[in-house]
Amino acid sequence: MADVVLERVEKRFGDVRAVAGIDLTVRDQEFLILVGPSGCGKTTTLRMIAGLEEVTAGDIRIAGRFVTHLAPRDRDIAMVFQSYALYPHMTVYRNMSFSLKLRGMPKAELDHRVREVATILGLTEHLQRKPRQLSGGQRQRVAVGAALCRQAGVLLFDEPLSNLDAKLRVHMRTELKRLHQSVRSTMVYVTHDQVEAMTMGDRIVIMNGGTICQIGTPLEIYDTPASSFVAGFIGSPPMNFFDGEIAADPEVGVLLTGGLRLPLARPDLASSAGRKVVFGIRPEHISLAESGRAVSDVTWAALGKPAKVPATIEVIEPLGHRVILTARCSAGAFQMETEIHAGIRAGESADLWFDMNRAYLFDPKSEAAI
Amino acid sequence: MLVLPAVFYLGLFIAYPFLMSIYMSFTDAQAGNQKWTYVGPQNYSKVENYQILANDFVLATLPSAEQARQLAAARAQGKIVTEPAGRRFRAIAEVNGRRIPLLEMDKEDDAAFLGGTILQDLDWRIEKAAGEKFRVVAHASDAPVTFGPYADRAALKRELKEDILVPARTSVKTNGKGVVQDPNFTLAVKNTFKYTFGTEIIKLCIGIPCALILNRRFGGRRLLRGLLVIPWVIPIALSAQAWLWILDSTYSVINWCLVHWGILSPSKIINFRGDKDWAMLSVIAVNVWRGFPFTTIVILAGLTAIPDEILERARLDGANAFQRFVHVIAPMVRPILMVSLLFSLIFSFTDFNTIWIITKGGPYDQTQVLSTYAYQLGVNAGYLGKGAAISLFMFPIMAVMVFFMLQFLRREA
């Protein structure tokens, strides 16, 4: 089995630093997600692990072996591409067995392995078909199957679900997760979709501008985002941000632009009154009633009371079981999430309650969490 | 509404010339001949008589080389005698005390003449035969001995059996007025295939590596791609002038270089357009020079259409450059390659310009292809009917080629 270690790995394209010296350890048998907006360097990082992209500086080790200058085929890896990269002139069977054949595997063993993988993926009856005779989901499975046949220590995925329609994508998400539980090889998975990242990964690496912003389990990243970028990237609809400053008199609070003052259960900030901050709160932590519960199952804790914010409801977007409200308070517009049967209408004024236990403060310059 | 003009156009410019040449090929149309009369398929094929061509007469099979040599040495003293055999006359060679019955003819003069030819004019060779024996063989090095003519097939069959009394190599020559009986036509068919397949194979051999090189990323790639198409876009009438100079019998730049570098002695310079093998190579070379950019560009288009991810996957799968070419690139380019080959084959098969400008079919018809021969016979010599018949011969041959290639493409798709 294999772990992957990246040490100060850097990639330049001319003057552009696509990946700016990152350190990353992918543990053995882990499902690790690289996620970030386009151009953040996640795909480049994956391609450097695969050996498709030269490393400008730094080292890559797979299972303790330095592979930085090895050819892709000598790295004990297999990869699933965004476009599936199936050979159009070969049958499914040949597509899956191609790499094994090139390695000179005996026919009987090769046949056994292809059929085994085909059974896992439900491709047995399609083995003699050509890729163009298959549906998108089936092609996707063939691409995964071709990678699985290699029995490589590390499986790399480059946005493999982005070409599927929404319904199939949800289905394949579950399939891939189940697959990981049964084959237990190390998987590195690149996506720009934060939902995919949250649902599939053992750990998530959030990248931006060629650097790593935060590494952690989905819950860690959700609960304790390291920066306003991470906080804004993970979560749907995204976190609301307001500019403000710390107020300490008579008790610690945050004074938002527009004169709205919210109490904070942060006695450690008593001495930094006047400090500029960015105040962040997720839509699911705003509720319509003081006694009501937010989406999170955390009850109002003793640390901080919910803060009342008078606001006007501007837009209502029903999602089905939930509804997203766009509201405006004196500090600016924000979004919140509530039950569909809340009985609220656009244009109405309401007192909304911010769960101050789930509020975040960020430094406006460094973006780091305070 | 647009259908009518389209039908009119097709009728006027495509169907009319085609049908006209079909009609013409069945008439005695000739230059200066005002009225054309229907003559049936005689332009295509009209047999007048048959001849038997015979060579390598085995005069005797002897147990030792010495005896064979004695027999061959004695032929100067030998003579031909004729004697009646039934209603016919038999020619017998009397050499070194042996009587060798050679042939039988209806007329005594014929028998004596042909017998004399075998005895005096042919080379007598001694050849080793099976079982440690030696044969004396009369061989004609320039033209075979001709028997006939015979008016019909029945006579030909009988004569083939009865005329020659010693083992010999025989073949039948059909004489007639149709193009099928014209030896130059047969030669033109052979030359057309040589020319077509020669150029196509060489075009592929040059085009594939060129396309692979141009598909790589390097500085000046665009410029090189631009330069590549020059031979293809300049009119052949102009570019051929350069080739005429390159292939000139006296001032050829190739000869000059070869002599200058000491590869060739000045007395042995190559007569590109005058020697039969060099002439065919020369016209093939000019066609390849003109046609390979098209092949290259089509293959290049096929290569560009292969997604990068597939080639990257092949690398991850462990394929080296050669394996990537054989297992991935070639199969993916094949359909478009076949289309280009189909076009190119048709162009080469019907090519007139290149050959007409470079050799005009010469020397001695050695580069004459169907299109030039049709022009030569139909326009220059004035036998319009025959010229039309020759052009129409290209049609079924091309139809077969196109059929097979389309069949192949359909199977691929």
Side-chain angles (χ1 to χ4, degrees):
Chain A
M1 283 288 137
D3 58 336
V4 182
V5 179
L6 276 68
E7 279 174 351
R8 301 177 309 282
V9 169
E10 188 176 319
K11 176 68 188 178
R12 285 169 192 271
F13 294 106
D15 290 337
V16 183
R17 253 160 58 130
V19 175
I22 59 168
D23 289 292
L24 177 64
T25 303
V26 188
R27 297 173 195 144
D28 185 24
Q29 303 192 355
E30 185 178 33
F31 200 136
L32 185 92
I33 310 267
L34 294 177
V35 67
S38 42
C40 72
K42 56 189 191 297
T43 296
T44 310
T45 306
L46 191 80
R47 289 169 60 84
M48 284 194 290
I49 298 174
L52 294 172
E53 215 71 77
E54 285 281 334
V55 175
T56 312
D59 271 314
I60 299 175
R61 274 179 291 155
I62 295 177
R65 202 162 54 111
F66 281 94
V67 298
T68 319
H69 301 293
L70 282 185
R73 60 177 153 168
D74 300 324
R75 292 189 176 202
D76 190 26
I77 44 146
M79 185 161 169
V80 178
F81 290 89
Q82 182 173 3
S83 66
Y84 316 143
L86 300 179
Y87 305 120
H89 55 284
M90 295 187 192
T91 59
V92 169
Y93 185 92
R94 283 193 62 207
N95 256 294
M96 287 170 63
S97 61
F98 186 61
S99 63
L100 303 179
K101 214 171 143 195
L102 287 179
R103 265 149 233 262
M105 177 180 278
K107 227 170 176 172
E109 196 185 338
L110 176 148
D111 187 69
H112 176 73
R113 199 185 280 185
V114 170
R115 290 190 188 280
E116 194 178 277
V117 171
T119 312
I120 295 174
L121 294 169
L123 288 169
T124 311
E125 59 201 276
H126 305 304
L127 281 177
Q128 292 313 318
R129 297 219 185 146
K130 295 259 179 91
R132 66 166 170 277
Q133 295 167 300
L134 302 177
S135 69
Q138 287 166 338
R139 285 181 209 176
Q140 165 70 53
R141 287 213 292 275
V142 175
V144 173
L148 279 184
C149 277
R150 289 271 305 279
Q151 294 193 346
V154 183
L155 275 177
L156 307 175
F157 294 86
D158 184 11
E159 309 212 11
L161 303 186
S162 58
N163 285 2
L164 299 177
D165 63 59
K167 205 169 169 185
L168 205 52
R169 201 178 311 163
V170 174
H171 175 70
M172 284 307 291
R173 233 153 56 190
T174 325
E175 289 283 297
L176 283 179
K177 207 165 172 179
R178 183 179 299 148
L179 197 69
H180 175 246
Q181 280 155 11
S182 60
V183 301
R184 303 266 20 138
S185 52
T186 311
M187 293 188 177
V188 184
Y189 187 107
V190 161
T191 181
H192 63 268
D193 181 350
Q194 52 105 359
V195 180
E196 242 169 61
M198 292 296 282
T199 50
M200 295 174 77
D202 292 334
R203 282 196 304 156
I204 301 176
V205 178
I206 297 187
M207 294 186 70
N208 190 28
T211 55
I212 292 176
C213 301
Q214 191 173 2
I215 306 177
T217 63
L219 211 60
E220 280 167 11
I221 289 192
Y222 180 80
D223 282 340
T224 52
S227 67
S228 57
F229 172 77
V230 175
F233 191 78
I234 295 293
S236 173
M239 186 183 274
N240 301 299
F241 294 107
F242 303 98
D243 289 332
E245 59 176 70
I246 303 288
D249 196 38
E251 56 186 45
V252 180
V254 59
L255 184 64
L256 304 182
T257 47
L260 192 64
R261 193 176 193 285
L262 303 173
L264 272 181
R266 292 287 298 269
D268 55 313
L269 294 173
S271 56
S272 33
R275 179 178 175 182
K276 297 276 184 220
V277 293
V278 172
F279 172 81
I281 185 158
R282 295 191 191 276
E284 54 267 39
H285 298 142
I286 304 172
S287 56
L288 284 167
E290 183 181 10
S291 58
R293 279 158 64 140
V295 170
S296 66
D297 282 325
V298 182
T299 45
W300 305 122
L303 276 168
K305 287 198 169 60
K308 186 168 89 174
V309 177
T312 322
I313 310 297
E314 291 185 332
V315 182
I316 298 179
E317 296 168 72
L319 293 179
H321 66 305
R322 309 288 300 170
V323 62
I324 293 173
L325 307 177
T326 304
R328 182 174 291 279
C329 66
S330 55
F334 61 94
Q335 286 190 309
M336 64 169 287
E337 210 182 299
T338 186
E339 284 235 7
I340 192 149
H341 297 298
I344 202 95
R345 276 195 295 277
E348 281 181 358
S349 296
D351 283 344
L352 303 177
W353 298 85
F354 284 18
D355 180 357
M356 296 309 286
N357 287 321
R358 301 310 217 71
Y360 301 93
L361 293 178
F362 303 99
D363 188 90
K365 282 213 186 72
S366 68
E367 295 191 350
I370 300 169
Chain B
M1 278 321 281
L2 282 171
V3 173
L4 271 179
V7 168
F8 180 72
Y9 168 82
L10 286 174
L12 188 63
F13 295 111
I14 295 175
Y16 177 74
F18 184 62
L19 295 174
M20 197 62 195
S21 48
I22 291 178
Y23 168 65
M24 202 152 60
S25 70
F26 288 98
T27 67
D28 63 349
Q30 277 187 32
N33 188 350
Q34 294 284 317
K35 219 178 129 215
W36 300 351
T37 39
Y38 176 77
V39 292
Q42 73 165 25
N43 282 329
Y44 290 95
S45 175
K46 177 153 201 267
V47 178
E48 289 184 326
N49 55 51
Y50 302 96
Q51 285 177 311
I52 297 170
L53 305 179
N55 205 343
D56 296 330
F57 301 88
V58 180
L59 300 173
T61 307
L62 298 165
S64 78
E66 186 54 33
Q67 281 174 300
R69 221 169 293 131
Q70 276 172 9
L71 182 67
R75 79 159 167 162
Q77 288 83 45
K79 60 175 193 222
I80 293 289
V81 294
T82 53
E83 50 190 49
R87 282 185 291 105
R88 310 183 80 198
F89 293 90
R90 180 175 289 182
I92 300 164
E94 288 186 348
V95 187
N96 204 21
R98 282 172 186 276
R99 282 169 57 84
I100 308 166
L102 290 178
L103 43 89
E104 276 182 14
M105 298 262 87
D106 286 346
K107 290 182 187 153
E108 192 169 9
D109 285 355
D110 290 348
F113 174 75
L114 287 171
T117 307
I118 296 173
L119 181 68
Q120 283 144 25
D121 299 345
L122 270 50
D123 297 335
W124 285 24
R125 298 169 170 177
I126 295 156
E127 288 175 0
K128 245 186 151 162
E132 289 298 304
K133 290 192 170 168
F134 294 87
R135 307 192 287 214
V136 178
V137 177
H139 171 79
S141 50
D142 42 3
V145 181
T146 315
F147 293 74
Y150 310 110
D152 56 74
R153 280 200 162 270
L156 173 77
K157 227 173 171 180
R158 197 181 62 236
E159 303 283 343
L160 260 176
K161 238 187 277 173
E162 295 175 357
D163 279 9
I164 303 166
L165 304 175
V166 292
R169 234 164 16 91
T170 56
S171 60
V172 175
K173 181 171 176 255
T174 313
N175 300 310
K177 282 203 291 194
V179 290
V180 173
Q181 285 84 35
D182 179 355
N184 281 343
F185 172 77
T186 322
L187 184 62
V189 171
K190 271 188 210 155
N191 285 340
T192 309
F193 277 98
K194 255 194 235 173
Y195 179 70
T196 308
F197 289 99
T199 51
E200 288 323 308
I201 289 165
I202 299 173
K203 272 185 206 170
L204 285 183
C205 291
I206 299 177
I208 291 172
C210 273
L212 288 173
I213 291 168
L214 286 174
N215 196 35
R216 293 175 164 233
R217 291 192 179 84
F218 58 87
R221 176 171 70 151
R222 280 164 161 270
L223 180 75
L224 213 59
R225 283 188 186 183
L227 290 177
L228 180 76
V229 296
I230 287 182
W232 194 48
V233 294
I234 50 175
I236 181 75
L238 286 177
S239 50
Q241 294 306 317
W243 277 101
L244 282 178
W245 170 64
I246 293 170
L247 302 171
D248 193 275
S249 54
T250 313
Y251 301 107
S252 164
V253 66
I254 299 174
N255 277 333
W256 188 88
C257 290
L258 290 177
V259 170
H260 190 76
W261 294 330
I263 297 168
L264 214 61
S265 85
S267 60
K268 285 187 181 156
I269 56 166
I270 303 161
N271 187 357
F272 286 104
R273 289 154 61 218
D275 179 89
K276 87 176 177 109
D277 295 325
W278 281 109
M280 182 49 92
L281 278 176
S282 300
V283 286
I284 286 178
V286 176
N287 191 359
V288 166
W289 171 83
R290 185 170 153 71
F292 94 92
F294 177 72
T295 313
T296 306
I297 284 170
V298 171
I299 297 171
L300 193 59
L303 288 177
T304 327
I306 299 177
D308 285 345
E309 286 201 339
I310 286 198
L311 296 175
E312 283 173 350
R313 182 187 154 196
R315 274 172 69 197
L316 282 166
D317 280 346
N320 59 33
F322 177 73
Q323 288 165 327
R324 282 202 295 276
F325 179 76
V326 172
H327 295 298
V328 183
I329 298 173
M332 289 184 73
V333 172
R334 196 162 56 200
I336 194 167
L337 186 68
M338 291 311 275
V339 175
S340 102
L341 200 61
L342 179 63
F343 280 127
S344 199
L345 268 176
I346 293 173
F347 284 137
S348 293
F349 197 81
T350 56
D351 186 27
F352 173 83
N353 302 348
T354 315
I355 289 179
W356 196 251
I357 294 169
I358 302 292
T359 62
K360 287 206 165 52
Y364 281 101
D365 292 318
Q366 295 303 320
T367 57
Q368 199 77 271
V369 292
L370 286 173
S371 58
T372 55
Y373 192 51
Y375 184 76
Q376 189 83 278
L377 205 63
V379 179
N380 284 357
Y383 297 109
L384 291 172
K386 278 192 181 182
I390 292 171
S391 334
L392 287 171
F393 262 104
M394 292 200 265
F395 193 73
I397 299 175
M398 275 202 303
V400 169
M401 284 200 296
V402 170
F403 174 80
F404 278 111
M405 300 201 80
L406 289 180
Q407 200 76 346
F408 174 85
L409 279 177
R410 204 162 300 153
R411 220 182 33 236
E412 286 280 298

